Amino acid sequence: MATATAKSHALRPTVAVIGAGPTGLSMLKTLREDGFDATLFERRTRVGGLWSYTEDESMTTALPNTTANISKYTCGFTDFPMPDHYPPFLSQSEFQEFLESYSTHFGLEKHTCLGAAVTKVERSADDTKWRVEIAKDGNSESREFDKVVCSHGYQTKAKAPTFKGQDEFQGRIIHAQQFRRPEDFKDKNVVFVGMSSTASDIIPEVVPHAAKVYVSHRRGTWIFGRWRNGLPTDLLVNYSRRQIGYLMQNWFPDMSAKLSKMGTTFLMKKYGELDPAWRLLEDAPPLSLSLTACMDVMIDLLREGKITSLHAIDSFLGGKKIRFTDGTILDDIDAVVFCTGYRADFSIIPFVEHSSPKSDANGNAYGGLPIPRLYMNIFPPKYADSMAILTSSTYGKNNGFSFADVISMAISNIWRGVSTDMIPSTPEEMDRAIDAHHQWVAGRWTKENTTDVCAVKQWEFQGFLHQAAGTGLENLGWGWKGWWAWLKDPKMNYLMRHGVETAYAFRYFETGKRPTWPGARAAIIHTNELVKKLKAEGN
């Protein structure tokens, strides 16, 4: 019996999962439940991804003061509810605790290797497996796996501009990725570059310590608050509204961008008159093309005179002197902090090909960055049956990491033969689809040259993953399946269409492609009741 068990275990495909953030944890759990021998590798010493605070300045991390921008009601896993005792918006430590409890609850620790940095993934000499190079405790080792999932995050490598004369600056220049302690800026004059959500986290912490704080930005941005009319702002989006949005993006993209801009402008009216000198609405790109926004705490700081808005940096003039594009010169700047975003790290997967389309569909030349050649922004055509890359799908998720389980179930189903028909049978077919997608990206770049070239078509990407995962959300459509689901359970159908958009809905319908969760119905109802109670308390 023992021999048979060992033989059965040996026949299970081995999978290396890289990165123990929400997606990596979900991936490990799903793959093991579906019969794969999966192992998770994480360079940090705790699970949680960027929610696991670290002093290592080479890693992106949520800070101890960081509060989530998305509420607990729309965030979480499909079969592991957020505890009621958490506040509507979790802190860094609470998210860390939640993700560790998820790992413990499902026994994932014994299949997780912490403090293990994957430095390179490449094909084995005979091209039959993947060789994963790992650095741990000062030692290096290579291990071979049948398959690999790269879920090491899309906020891994810092993006920072360079300016003329920057090397001669006698102050300190860092990226927000390196920021840890506001006390380091005590009595300093500090320029933050970029009006972003990261800046919204850091600047309020620095203001009480610094002598003077400036925010330099090239153009306007959108301002968001966590709350609107007593409820979390993210509750404005439900399943039905999201589907209407996808329809508009697909068939009427220009109108969709205009409506997005109009809607965002309307939401900002709650903040009253905005001083034109702040340039918050000056040339702000629509959110459908560029995910650039900051939190409303910035308006308070501007109004109170605690921070000063500046134009973009033009150049560094030696010493501590900086010139800005409107001609302003400041000669006493001690530090510059770039809050200019992140990009995915492809250095550990050098086999991934990149290319640039010549033009968009209208013949406009493309001048953006090279784009990874991945089918559905996930699968390298040559290795779709053994490699999944989850770091290149901007706009791909809905709220927080509630989509992690859908991605995990989809990939597992494709690899174990349940949804194999969801991807083309040949690399050549995938390449044609990639070329068409890259031309679509070029069209977005023509309209907004700061757009992320790793963007996906939300309606296509999420539809693909839902179908591959077997979530059954087609039962919320307008076809006969939708009407039948409504007749069987009108209350649940209404809540899933128009109520809180929860992850539990992804395990509610029986489809035969993945296990349902017996607690899904109760969890959906409970979440909606919590929101109803919250609204009553606000009134």
Side-chain angles (χ1 to χ4, degrees):
M1 183 69 178
T3 303
T5 302
K7 184 177 181 180
S8 174
H9 179 79
L11 293 175
R12 296 167 63 195
T14 57
V15 187
V17 180
I18 304 169
T23 302
L25 289 170
S26 171
M27 199 79 243
L28 175 66
K29 170 181 173 288
T30 301
L31 287 170
R32 294 200 67 85
E33 288 176 345
D34 287 346
F36 294 92
D37 181 13
T39 303
L40 178 61
F41 297 94
E42 169 57 51
R43 59 179 177 163
R44 288 172 166 84
T45 56
R46 302 169 72 181
V47 302
L50 61 79
W51 289 104
S52 174
Y53 176 75
T54 175
E55 286 286 332
D56 188 334
E57 295 182 1
S58 70
M59 299 186 194
T60 308
T61 183
L63 300 170
N65 68 292
T66 301
T67 300
N69 297 333
I70 297 172
S71 74
K72 70 173 183 178
Y73 308 108
T74 63
C75 196
F77 296 101
T78 58
D79 54 358
F80 192 72
M82 286 268 185
D84 287 353
H85 70 264
Y86 283 146
F89 293 95
L90 274 65
S91 66
Q92 174 270 322
S93 60
E94 287 162 340
F95 256 126
Q96 171 72 51
E97 179 184 74
F98 175 68
L99 293 169
E100 287 184 331
S101 67
Y102 176 84
S103 177
T104 299
H105 179 79
F106 291 106
L108 304 181
E109 303 105 315
K110 55 191 174 186
H111 307 293
T112 301
C113 187
L114 297 173
V118 173
T119 57
K120 191 175 183 181
V121 179
E122 59 185 358
R123 294 298 285 175
S124 59
D126 60 1
D127 198 27
T128 60
K129 291 181 181 292
W130 291 101
R131 185 167 66 243
V132 179
E133 297 182 6
I134 305 155
K136 181 176 172 62
D137 299 328
N139 299 312
S140 298
E141 67 169 310
S142 293
R143 294 175 59 178
E144 291 191 347
F145 294 86
D146 297 309
K147 303 177 187 294
V148 175
V149 180
C150 296
S151 55
H152 55 290
Y154 58 92
Q155 294 178 312
T156 309
K157 296 191 72 172
K159 290 194 300 184
T162 56
F163 298 97
K164 180 181 177 182
Q166 183 172 319
D167 291 342
E168 283 75 47
F169 182 59
Q170 293 179 5
R172 183 186 182 197
I173 298 178
I174 66 169
H175 189 277
Q177 186 182 64
Q178 300 166 267
F179 179 89
R180 292 297 183 272
R181 282 166 293 279
E183 298 85 2
D184 293 346
F185 299 89
K186 182 175 176 58
D187 299 327
K188 305 290 186 183
N189 294 327
V190 189
V191 172
F192 286 85
V193 179
M195 187 77 85
S196 62
S197 57
T198 301
S200 306
D201 281 342
I202 297 176
I203 289 176
E205 297 298 305
V206 171
V207 163
H209 300 275
K212 185 69 178 176
V213 175
Y214 303 91
V215 184
S216 166
H217 51 112
R218 291 182 301 140
R219 57 199 302 192
T221 189
W222 302 107
I223 306 294
F224 284 93
R226 293 183 177 88
W227 296 90
R228 180 172 177 79
N229 298 329
L231 288 176
T233 304
D234 60 0
L235 296 180
L236 286 171
V237 180
N238 57 37
Y239 177 80
S240 293
R241 289 173 180 170
R242 188 180 293 279
Q243 298 311 305
I244 292 171
Y246 291 166
L247 184 148
M248 292 294 295
Q249 291 174 36
N250 186 8
W251 296 102
F252 311 102
D254 292 338
M255 183 182 294
S256 174
K258 290 179 181 177
L259 290 174
S260 170
K261 214 164 186 175
M262 288 172 59
T264 313
T265 303
F266 174 77
L267 290 175
M268 286 182 63
K269 285 186 176 181
K270 66 181 268 189
Y271 302 115
E273 283 294 321
L274 302 176
D275 189 333
W278 302 338
R279 300 177 298 112
L280 290 179
L281 297 179
E282 185 178 294
D283 193 31
L287 288 174
S288 57
L289 292 175
S290 180
L291 289 173
T292 304
C294 64
M295 303 306 293
D296 51 8
V297 64
M298 300 290 278
I299 291 182
D300 296 333
L301 294 173
L302 284 164
R303 283 191 169 131
E304 294 166 9
K306 293 180 178 179
I307 62 176
T308 300
S309 173
L310 293 173
H311 285 254
I313 291 177
D314 174 75
S315 57
F316 290 78
L317 303 177
K320 294 187 175 182
K321 188 180 295 187
I322 302 175
R323 176 192 286 129
F324 298 84
T325 55
D326 66 338
T328 298
I329 294 177
L330 298 178
D331 58 7
D332 57 353
I333 300 303
D334 301 296
V336 176
V337 182
F338 291 132
C339 299
T340 46
Y342 303 88
R343 62 167 57 97
D345 182 9
F346 281 85
S347 65
I348 68 170
I349 41 178
F351 60 87
V352 176
E353 297 178 352
H354 291 66
S355 65
S356 297
K358 291 183 179 179
S359 64
D360 64 15
N362 295 318
N364 299 300
Y366 174 72
L369 295 170
I371 310 170
R373 295 195 62 81
L374 301 172
Y375 180 72
M376 281 293 168
N377 286 45
I378 296 175
F379 302 105
K382 189 177 178 181
Y383 303 111
D385 61 346
S386 64
M387 172 63 66
I389 298 168
L390 307 180
T391 62
S392 182
S393 54
T394 311
Y395 292 93
K397 301 178 182 179
N398 47 16
N399 293 328
F401 52 79
S402 61
F403 208 63
D405 282 352
V406 178
I407 296 172
S408 301
M409 292 185 290
I411 291 172
S412 180
N413 282 351
I414 288 170
W415 282 353
R416 68 193 179 104
V418 173
S419 297
T420 307
D421 60 335
M422 290 298 299
I423 59 175
S425 58
T426 67
E428 290 75 20
E429 289 180 81
M430 292 189 205
D431 277 323
R432 285 193 290 271
I434 292 169
D435 289 338
H437 180 73
H438 283 193
Q439 190 174 64
W440 174 81
V441 171
R444 290 169 58 84
W445 185 88
T446 298
K447 297 172 184 176
E448 173 53 56
N449 63 16
T450 65
T451 195
D452 193 324
V453 298
C454 291
V456 299
K457 301 173 184 175
Q458 286 181 297
W459 63 93
E460 178 185 70
F461 183 80
Q462 292 203 14
F464 166 81
L465 291 175
H466 274 295
Q467 190 174 347
T471 61
L473 290 196
E474 64 271 14
N475 290 293
L476 299 179
W478 292 103
W480 69 267
K481 288 184 178 180
W483 285 106
W484 181 242
W486 178 80
L487 286 171
K488 287 200 299 184
D489 196 336
K491 177 180 180 179
M492 183 56 49
N493 191 276
Y494 178 84
L495 289 179
M496 293 172 73
R497 284 173 180 266
H498 307 291
V500 182
E501 195 177 29
T502 72
Y504 319 124
F506 305 150
R507 283 196 191 266
Y508 176 74
F509 294 108
E510 177 58 69
T511 65
K513 282 191 170 185
R514 53 88 183 100
T516 57
W517 180 46
R521 189 178 194 279
I524 292 169
I525 293 172
H526 180 63
T527 302
N528 280 273
E529 287 176 344
L530 287 176
V531 170
K532 186 176 180 180
K533 180 181 177 182
L534 182 66
K535 185 175 182 180
E537 291 172 349
N539 294 332

